[in-house]
Amino acid sequence: DYTRLASDIRRPLINHAISGLYPPGSTYKIVAASGALKYGVVLPKETIPCGGRLVLPDGWAFDDWLAEGHGPVNLERAIAESCNIYFYNVAGGNPYTDLPGIGNPQLASLQRKFGFGSQSGIDLPGEASGVVPTSDWKRNADLGPWVRGDTYHAAIGQGLVQVTPLQIASMYAALANRGRVMRPRLIDRILDSNGNVVERFPSQVRSTLPISESHLRLLQRGLHRAVNGEAGTGRRSRSAYTVVAGKTGTAEYSGDRDGQGRLPSHAWFAGYAPAENPE
């Protein structure tokens, strides 16, 4: 029985919430969006054209998920409709328009401030830290030099980025609670047999996101539109009971391609509710 469990490709003996490492896909685009605002790469209403593909001078092509492209896209719409081309531009820059982009050193720094690349501190054993890729990390892993395409992939939660589901949940909780990255906990308090409090475990703030309140509201509007907007990618997350804000993600991983040439992928959704007063 143990051999059967240990060899199961679904890894049932692993606590996937805290120890499973996965590419987060487009749920991760919020990090690049916050960096674009923080470092003034683009103005909130400034648009970037999306024609469905960005081909670099060396011939490498980077596609949007929508083959025909989204047309002119601003930040709020880029979040709502998950435009890859927008996030390639603001993260890694564009050699044709001289848009500088955030650059991977600053993008990686932001990823860490969102809680990635380190343990959350939850009171469970075996928590993984994940991977925030940098040029040094890639070189030490014998994966070659860092290239612009690595920054493009990192911005959309693909390539070398690895996170736990708990880290993604923690990021979206921080977006909902005015930028506070909390330490997750399982126990609120311990009671004796008479119902008296023996010990309390107060909430702890790990860090605060380095983005302004006005920028945070802009990110929140994008997440609201992703679920409730006419063209939002998260429309199927609408609820009759409350207003949801959130983000979808489709993260490819290595494996056999299907009949249409697509790699297998993880499907993600992360969000919070009620959108206006999150609980």
Side-chain angles (χ1 to χ4, degrees):
D1 287 340
Y2 178 79
T3 300
R4 182 170 55 84
L5 288 168
S7 61
D8 191 320
I9 62 172
R10 295 167 297 182
R11 302 168 70 207
L13 300 181
I14 299 295
N15 184 338
H16 293 271
I18 64 168
S19 302
L21 292 174
Y22 311 96
S26 294
T27 60
Y28 211 60
K29 288 175 178 174
I30 291 297
V31 180
S34 67
L37 294 170
K38 175 179 174 60
Y39 297 112
V41 174
V42 290
L43 297 173
K45 294 187 178 181
E46 185 177 348
T47 61
I48 291 174
C50 169
R53 170 171 282 196
L54 175 56
V55 182
L56 295 179
D58 58 11
W60 286 99
F62 297 86
D63 292 326
D64 189 58
W65 67 267
L66 190 65
E68 64 270 26
H70 291 85
V73 181
N74 63 18
L75 187 137
E76 185 178 322
R77 185 179 170 215
I79 295 172
E81 299 181 26
S82 204
C83 175
N84 290 349
I85 303 297
Y86 182 93
F87 291 100
Y88 297 153
N89 275 266
V90 299
N94 187 320
Y96 306 108
T97 63
D98 294 327
L99 183 73
I102 303 164
N104 201 68
Q106 293 186 130
L107 182 63
S109 176
L110 274 172
Q111 290 167 13
R112 293 190 185 93
K113 289 173 181 176
F114 271 87
F116 299 104
S118 62
Q119 296 178 353
S120 71
I122 192 171
D123 42 338
L124 285 172
E127 183 181 11
S129 297
V131 175
V132 171
T134 63
S135 58
D136 288 342
W137 180 91
K138 189 180 180 187
R139 190 181 304 108
N140 291 335
D142 291 327
L143 296 174
W146 192 269
V147 295
R148 189 193 298 263
D150 292 321
T151 305
Y152 283 179
H153 283 147
I156 65 167
Q158 294 271 193
L160 303 171
V161 176
Q162 295 278 287
V163 306
T164 68
L166 180 61
Q167 288 173 330
I168 290 292
S170 178
M171 174 172 74
Y172 279 78
L175 294 168
N177 68 18
R178 301 183 68 180
R180 295 174 298 163
V181 180
M182 307 300 294
R183 177 183 175 184
R185 56 185 174 151
L186 295 178
I187 301 172
D188 176 62
R189 58 190 179 274
I190 297 175
L191 309 179
D192 64 18
S193 57
N194 296 316
N196 299 312
V197 176
V198 176
E199 186 176 1
R200 290 187 182 275
F201 296 83
S203 59
Q204 298 178 27
V205 179
R206 292 176 61 204
S207 61
T208 302
L209 298 180
I211 50 179
S212 69
E213 189 167 341
S214 62
H215 288 165
L216 188 58
R217 286 197 299 270
L218 180 59
L219 299 177
Q220 291 169 342
R221 289 201 300 271
L223 295 173
H224 179 275
R225 184 171 167 181
V227 175
N228 302 284
E230 185 177 333
T233 58
R235 297 188 302 278
R236 290 197 297 173
S237 304
R238 293 175 187 170
S239 169
Y241 301 97
T242 187
V243 178
V244 177
K247 183 83 188 69
T248 55
T250 304
E252 293 180 337
Y253 59 93
S254 298
D256 296 330
R257 294 181 181 271
D258 64 15
Q260 296 177 305
R262 294 175 300 195
L263 288 168
S265 59
H266 300 297
W268 288 82
F269 180 82
Y272 53 84
E276 293 303 318
N277 189 23
E279 297 176 8

